[in-house]
């Protein structure tokens, strides 16, 4: 695994491939920015980030040095400009190459939203001393929030539901687990089957559903699953992997997680272990699944991967060569969550009716997305679906997390 804090040259992002004959070019749609007051991206930078700084400061007894740095970041986010990392930071050169040389000295709000948001989390880690030798080195500032999700009555109920699910035919199990992975901490929607489809509520909230295409890509080969959140949202991902391995739908799986804390709840290797321990400590089918997953890791049928690019501010069009080769070699790469979707689409405002295959033509190999909608970017909708959603909910359906999609394309 890569160590983001280790010295040495940072891997440079590889060049994006030339667009195919039907692929959108780089200037076909505007990049999402945060400069429009009142917009969703603006609210993230102006409201969510300052509130998060305060929550992090309250979650740990940080000393004066860390608290001063957090206060400075709070002020900088509101009224300041983007500043470079310290010269001593091991990844300073990486962020310079990822766009910093162009963006330093400019307002957070005038930059691409994906870049501003990503860099905020890197600066938050700098403020709490995550990479600096000392007592706070390697201490995840978001860990209390992640662990709290695993220790809830709702989590107990979701794991207990696996006992009933285990008595269903494998096909119904797979469909339920797929919806559980899609909805994350609303996983009960996936487990409460009413015949098929993950329950009528879950299906009715899908704005696009390529589940049949995705299932056809589980053909006994290799899966790359690029995880999103930790806690109760990671457990359904692991349960889906367990099912696919157990029933021969895949032969091996690589679980890609973040090399260090990112976007509050994004999963790291430590979070994978926490989720596995939660499963293995459970009774019944959940505990059995946890033990199978533990064995799969020990035997190499399931591996955990990290890469600095996972915490980068770039779209998947700019995948470095090693990741490009790995994803191209997989039978399917399954991207979880909103951020991975934004990076897949380039965080650009393409028309919602742009075909998913067109918007993802730059991605090597077969690719699928499981995502609840929490930001403006979306493609692959029919005109009728988009019109109905806009008529019923105006623009809110894009960002409220109440709708979801399953999208997939073959090679």
């Amino acid at each position: 695994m890569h160590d983001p804090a280790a010295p040495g040259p940072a891997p440079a992002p590889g060049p994006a491939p030339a667009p195919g004959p039907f692929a959108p070019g780089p200037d076909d749609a505007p990049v999402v920015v945060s400069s429009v007051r009142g917009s969703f991206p603006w609210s993230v930078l102006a409201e969510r980030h300052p509130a998060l700084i305060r929550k992090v400061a309250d979650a740990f007894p940080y000393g004066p040095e860390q608290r001063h740095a957090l206060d400075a970041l709070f002020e900088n986010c509101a009224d300041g400009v983007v500043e470079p990392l310290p010269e001593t930071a091991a990844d300073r050169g990486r962020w310079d190459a990822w766009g910093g040389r162009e963006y330093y000295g400019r307002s957070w709000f005038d930059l691409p939203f994906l870049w501003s948001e990503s860099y905020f989390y890197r600066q938050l880690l700098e403020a709490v001393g995550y990479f600096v030798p000392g007592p706070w080195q390697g201490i995840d500032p978001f860990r209390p929030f992640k662990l709290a999700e695993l220790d809830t009555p709702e989590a107990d109920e979701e794991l207990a539901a696996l006992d009933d699910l285990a008595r269903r035919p494998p096909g119904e199990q797979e469909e339920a687990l797929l919806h559980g992975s899609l909805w994350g901490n609303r996983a009960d929607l996936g487990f409460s089957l009413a015949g098929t489809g993950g329950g009528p509520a879950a299906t009715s909230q899908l704005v696009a559903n390529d589940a049949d295409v995705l299932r056809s890509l589980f053909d006994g080969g290799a899966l790359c699953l690029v995880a999103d959140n930790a806690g109760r949202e990671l457990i359904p991902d692991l349960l889906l992997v367990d099912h696919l391995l157990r029933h021969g739908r895949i032969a091996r799986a690589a679980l890609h997680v973040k090399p260090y804390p990112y976007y509050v709840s994004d999963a790291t290797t430590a979070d994978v272990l926490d989720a596995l321990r939660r499963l293995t400590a459970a009774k019944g089918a959940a505990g059995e699944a946890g033990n199978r997953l533990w064995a799969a890791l020990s035997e190499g049928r399931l591996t955990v991967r990290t890469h600095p690019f996972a915490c980068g501010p770039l779209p998947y069009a700019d995948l470095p060569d090693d990741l490009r080769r790995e994803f191209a070699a997989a039978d399917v790469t399954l991207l979880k969550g909103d951020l991975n979707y934004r990076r897949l689409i380039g965080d650009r405002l393409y028309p919602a009716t742009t075909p998913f295959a067109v918007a993802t033509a730059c991605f090597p190999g077969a690719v699928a997305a499981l995502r609840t909608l929490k930001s403006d970017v979306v493609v692959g909708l029919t005109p009728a679906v988009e019109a109905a959603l806009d008529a019923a909910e105006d623009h809110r359906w894009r960002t409220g997390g109440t709708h979801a999609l399953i999208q997939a394309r073959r090679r």
Side-chain angles (χ1 to χ4, degrees):
M1 295 185 183
H2 296 265
D3 181 357
F22 303 103
D27 299 321
D28 283 357
V31 171
V32 178
V33 295
S34 309
S35 54
V36 179
R37 190 175 184 86
S39 67
F40 174 76
W42 179 90
S43 70
V44 171
L45 267 62
E47 299 169 0
R48 185 178 301 178
H49 286 179
L52 176 60
I53 292 172
R54 294 305 187 216
K55 288 181 179 179
V56 168
D58 291 340
F60 287 93
Y62 290 120
E65 181 180 354
Q66 289 76 31
R67 293 191 175 279
H68 175 76
L70 287 169
D71 289 342
L73 181 60
F74 184 94
E75 297 296 331
N76 179 260
C77 288
D79 301 312
V81 298
V82 174
E83 299 175 354
L85 294 170
E87 292 284 354
T88 54
D91 57 348
R92 164 67 184 269
R94 186 181 303 148
W95 280 95
D96 287 350
W98 279 345
R101 293 189 185 95
E102 178 183 356
Y103 298 143
Y104 299 146
R106 296 171 60 180
S107 167
W108 292 85
F109 294 88
D110 292 339
L111 307 183
F113 178 44
L114 179 62
W115 204 96
S116 290
E117 199 175 11
S118 297
Y119 195 61
F120 165 80
Y121 284 99
R122 177 59 187 86
Q123 286 285 30
L124 181 60
L125 293 183
E126 192 68 25
V128 298
Y130 182 85
F131 294 112
V132 180
W136 297 106
Q137 185 177 27
I139 301 299
D140 184 347
F142 312 128
R143 185 168 173 78
F145 316 132
K146 296 175 180 178
L147 290 178
E149 283 199 355
L150 288 175
D151 188 21
T152 62
E154 292 80 7
D156 293 335
E157 293 170 6
E158 289 161 7
L159 294 182
L162 287 171
D163 291 336
D164 291 332
L165 187 62
R167 291 188 278 270
R168 301 293 186 98
E172 289 188 17
Q173 293 180 35
E174 183 170 305
E175 189 167 9
L177 292 168
L178 190 64
H179 279 270
S181 181
L182 168 65
W183 288 104
N185 60 13
R186 296 173 64 187
D188 55 313
L189 291 174
F191 296 148
S192 58
L193 284 173
T196 59
T203 328
S204 66
Q205 292 169 313
L206 287 176
V207 301
N209 188 1
D210 296 337
D212 289 342
V213 176
L214 174 56
R215 284 194 292 268
S216 74
L217 297 171
F218 299 143
D219 196 26
L223 165 69
C224 286
L225 195 158
V226 184
D228 183 33
N229 291 334
R232 284 173 61 207
E233 297 195 33
L234 182 59
I235 284 179
D237 298 342
L238 292 171
L239 293 173
L240 176 62
V241 169
D242 169 64
H243 172 89
L244 296 174
L245 287 170
R246 183 186 183 193
H247 293 278
R249 302 283 280 141
I250 58 174
R252 60 191 182 278
L255 180 64
H256 287 251
V257 296
K258 301 301 190 292
Y260 51 82
Y262 192 60
Y263 276 66
V264 185
S265 56
D266 282 25
T268 66
T269 303
D271 300 317
V272 174
L273 298 178
D274 287 336
L276 278 176
R277 291 191 181 101
R278 181 69 169 87
L279 283 171
T280 56
K283 298 178 180 179
E288 294 169 4
N291 289 326
R292 286 192 299 266
L293 287 162
W294 195 281
L297 278 166
S298 301
E299 297 161 2
R301 293 180 293 119
L302 171 60
T303 57
V304 179
R305 299 272 198 269
T306 64
H307 195 288
F309 186 82
C311 293
L314 303 178
Y316 280 115
D318 294 332
L319 279 169
D321 291 339
D322 55 347
L323 277 181
R324 184 173 295 278
R325 287 191 296 268
E326 182 171 357
F327 292 154
D331 289 84
V332 59
T333 297
L334 179 56
L335 302 173
K336 280 293 310 294
D338 199 73
L339 176 60
N340 280 319
Y341 190 89
R342 288 168 54 195
R343 297 184 76 185
L344 179 64
I345 308 302
D347 215 30
R348 289 179 176 271
L349 295 174
Y350 290 108
T353 54
T354 304
F356 179 74
V358 170
T360 63
C362 64
F363 193 89
V367 65
L370 296 183
R371 175 225 183 181
T372 54
L373 276 62
K374 299 177 183 177
S375 64
D376 294 306
V377 175
V378 66
V379 298
L381 274 57
T382 65
V385 166
E386 182 188 20
L389 289 167
D390 284 340
E393 304 182 42
D394 195 19
H395 203 70
R396 295 185 301 276
W397 61 272
R398 291 177 177 251
T399 60
T402 56
H403 294 78
L405 55 80
I406 303 172
Q407 293 177 325
R409 69 157 173 82
R410 299 179 175 88
R411 294 184 184 274

